[in-house]
Amino acid sequence: MTASASAADAPRLVARGLAAGYHDRRVIADLDLDVAPGKITALVGANACGKSTLLSTLARIIPAQGGTITLDGVDVRGIPRRRLARSLGMLPQQPTAPEGLAVAELVARGRYPHRGALARWTDEDAAAVDEALEATAMTEFADRPIGELSGGQRQRAWIAMALAQRPRIMLLDEPTTFLDLTHQLDVLDLLRRMNRERGTTVVVVLHELNLAARYADELVVMSAGRIVAQGSPDDVITPKVLADAFALDARVIPDPLTSTPLVIPVPKGTS
């Protein structure tokens, strides 16, 4: 299955008039978003602009303070959590696991939404876990406790759990945190492969603009809880948007390898 072949069947995740935040602090107000179905969308913006809040609200981890979020036209507030998790998977920015839990046990938890309370472990469950471990280069660590792993290895274990869930839409909050550049590329290559081969819709928060431009089909640029630009990397990564959203003086040139936009910051004091 390719992303283009499955576009007609790709899930539709839509926010209208969305307000979100924490307790009495509102971070997002009156936000409209149509997640590009069957595509990779990267949320980018300066720190504290609302990217993680938006992602957590879309995943129903934190409740919306106003507006609606629908999945295929159905308000997510009315979808039972287990059924929602079959379609919508979320990897938060700083996940935690019980002490002593092994990698394989963590990854197996990704199968929870697909199994009833008394359901037996199936060959399909085992295959999904094995595939996720292999895809993230974590097979050799399957029996290792999570607490004994490096930061990058832990991150890959959590990504493996999200992969084993096999959701139709995957939301990932800074999945390349703690990873060196080689493993950042490995993770983003993996997400692109999932998108292209399975048609999985991916929404990912990224800080590195050049990687976002290289891997995403669509960019959503946020500033102060609002969407200030949305579209293809070529349309969105412009000196004006960079100045408005990041207070960054930069030049934008074609990446010599991919022809995607490449951001070159201008050092202060350079004319």
Side-chain angles (χ1 to χ4, degrees):
M1 178 187 295
T2 64
S4 59
S6 61
D9 299 322
R12 263 63 179 176
L13 184 63
V14 176
R16 288 289 179 267
L18 185 65
Y22 307 92
H23 305 296
D24 296 331
R25 182 169 67 91
R26 180 157 290 186
V27 177
I28 293 169
D30 198 26
L31 181 144
D32 292 339
L33 175 66
D34 291 70
V35 173
K39 303 290 185 181
I40 298 176
T41 296
L43 302 181
V44 299
N47 289 339
C49 70
K51 303 183 299 294
S52 295
T53 301
L54 173 58
L55 207 68
S56 294
T57 308
L58 291 174
R60 219 175 68 180
I61 291 176
I62 60 175
Q65 296 178 346
T68 61
I69 302 168
T70 59
L71 177 62
D72 292 333
V74 178
D75 193 318
V76 298
R77 290 173 296 186
I79 302 176
R81 187 165 295 277
R82 188 193 294 263
R83 193 194 328 156
L84 181 64
R86 292 180 199 140
S87 291
L88 198 62
M90 169 73 180
L91 180 62
Q93 189 175 123
Q94 295 181 321
T96 58
E99 186 174 352
L101 192 71
V103 169
E105 294 172 318
L106 174 70
V107 177
R109 292 187 172 200
R111 300 303 299 162
Y112 171 78
H114 300 275
R115 308 172 65 234
L118 301 177
R120 291 185 176 183
W121 189 254
T122 67
D123 289 342
E124 182 179 359
D125 294 325
V129 169
D130 289 344
E131 180 183 328
L133 288 168
E134 182 177 358
T136 52
M138 290 299 292
T139 302
E140 64 179 294
F141 301 100
D143 298 323
R144 187 84 61 86
I146 297 294
E148 295 182 6
L149 302 179
S150 70
Q153 290 165 346
R154 277 197 300 274
Q155 192 73 351
R156 282 153 52 202
W158 283 102
I159 292 170
M161 187 195 74
L163 294 178
Q165 187 174 333
R166 292 183 176 175
R168 300 165 66 212
I169 302 174
M170 185 174 288
L171 310 176
L172 304 103
D173 194 355
E174 298 188 43
T176 55
T177 299
F178 304 121
L179 300 182
D180 58 34
L181 181 57
T182 297
H183 285 116
Q184 288 181 45
L185 296 174
D186 287 344
V187 166
L188 293 171
D189 283 336
L190 175 61
L191 295 178
R192 183 159 59 186
R193 190 162 65 249
M194 284 181 52
N195 170 258
R196 301 305 191 246
E197 294 177 359
R198 297 184 186 174
T200 305
T201 298
V202 176
V203 184
V204 55
V205 172
L206 291 174
H207 270 297
E208 174 52 60
L209 283 174
N210 290 328
L211 289 181
R214 178 177 287 193
Y215 283 91
D217 301 300
E218 181 149 325
L219 296 181
V220 174
V221 183
M222 296 188 65
S223 178
R226 299 179 298 110
I227 293 175
V228 296
Q230 180 174 358
S232 71
D234 286 330
D235 291 336
V236 167
I237 301 296
T238 66
K240 184 179 187 309
V241 170
L242 295 173
D244 291 345
F246 297 91
L248 177 65
D249 183 11
R251 305 292 181 264
V252 180
I253 65 173
D255 187 308
L257 295 179
T258 62
S259 296
T260 53
L262 184 66
V263 177
I264 310 294
V266 176
K268 291 186 183 299
T270 302
S271 57

